[in-house]
Amino acid sequence: MNYGVIGSGAMGLALANVLANNDKKVFIYGRNPAEVEEINKFHTNKKYLNDTKLDEKIKATNDIKEVIDFADSLIIAVPTPSVISVIKEINKYLNKPIVIINASKGLDINTNEGMQSVIYKHINKDYLLGIISLLGPGFAKEIIEKNITLICAVSENEEIAKKVQLDFSNDYFRVYLLDDINGAEIGSAMKNAIAIASGILKGLGYGENSKAALITRGLIEINKVGKIFNSKESTFLGLTGVGDLILTCNTFESRNFKAGYEIGLKDDAKEFLNNNKTTVEGIYTIKVIYEIAKKNNLDLPIIDALYQVLYLYEKPSLVVKNVMNRPLKKEQKQ
């Protein structure tokens, strides 16, 4: 199977590198000519990966049609707000059966849908063999450095998912099969929101006790939302749930944690939101989950607090105190 990667950012490069290490043919599409030249000439992308070297078999181009013509499977590795426009671009040149592999973690801000639903809605279904998502705890740089990483191939099409599982798996990158699409997408998206909260607490000067409490209660909020979409509770105890949540809430390698930290340091979100030039998926997710919660009468104190900070511009330190001073109750799973 030939793999095309749409997106020359960190995760697209990391997944391409795994495939190249496994002697699979892979071709990357990137919009930025300088990035494409750097990948082809120096086997790096310093913007996203510093000096980390890529497999020399990886090739890149600015011509999306070249990649589509080459590929049997297309990996979509772009920020979630760009997924629809990318799929529409793919449709212009698609003239053969294709497998779509989604690597974007987030929910559509306009429809509140997961990426598999978004892709299915917009792709030319005359040529679609199946959609799979690769989700789970994995920072791109560490994948390229061959740190042991475990993720899930998420799909209802087990036959194609098994093929993807075999093509990607090796002695440092292990892929499990998972068929709970809604659960995996909700967990993978909401962990970004909780990671922003974790960063805010760190920036405000709180320590490890606070982080442990946040992750635990955050997982409960993820599960509450999952139940609305008939997700399996076991999914949230796995790689696309607690695994991804722990990773993203604990390090400055996470854009979402780092964004939260900057907000916490200033005790204000306005400056960050006005000056930020990078995609922070959790910011979009917070709005989507807030709207889902209101529609379904869900009590999600962490998401509510994040919405107040990021969309109502409330002072983070005061919001934290308000959350802590809510009426006392028993600890419950739900």
Side-chain angles (χ1 to χ4, degrees), residues 269-322:
K270 281 186 181 178
E271 183 175 339
F272 175 83
L273 293 172
N274 288 335
N275 298 321
N276 177 53
K277 298 293 191 292
T278 61
T279 301
V280 181
E281 294 281 10
I283 294 174
Y284 306 109
T285 300
I286 287 161
K287 187 174 187 296
V288 171
I289 299 301
Y290 179 84
E291 291 173 354
I292 290 172
K294 292 304 177 187
K295 182 179 179 180
N296 293 279
N297 198 29
L298 293 181
D299 180 27
L300 306 180
I302 297 170
I303 294 297
D304 285 348
L306 287 165
Y307 187 86
Q308 290 171 40
V309 169
L310 287 162
Y311 289 93
L312 303 180
Y313 309 120
E314 300 287 349
K315 198 176 181 67
S317 58
L318 294 179
V319 172
V320 170
K321 290 186 184 298
N322 290 337

Side-chain angles (χ1 to χ4, degrees), residues 13-14 17-18 21 48-55 139-149 172-173 253:
L13 293 172
N17 205 67
V18 173
N21 287 172
Y48 296 106
L49 301 170
N50 299 319
D51 293 320
T52 304
K53 287 285 187 180
L54 298 165
D55 192 302
F139 288 137
K141 186 171 180 291
E142 292 196 9
I143 294 171
I144 294 172
E145 291 171 346
K146 300 185 179 180
N147 275 263
I148 290 174
T149 303
Y172 69 88
F173 196 81
E253 291 295 316

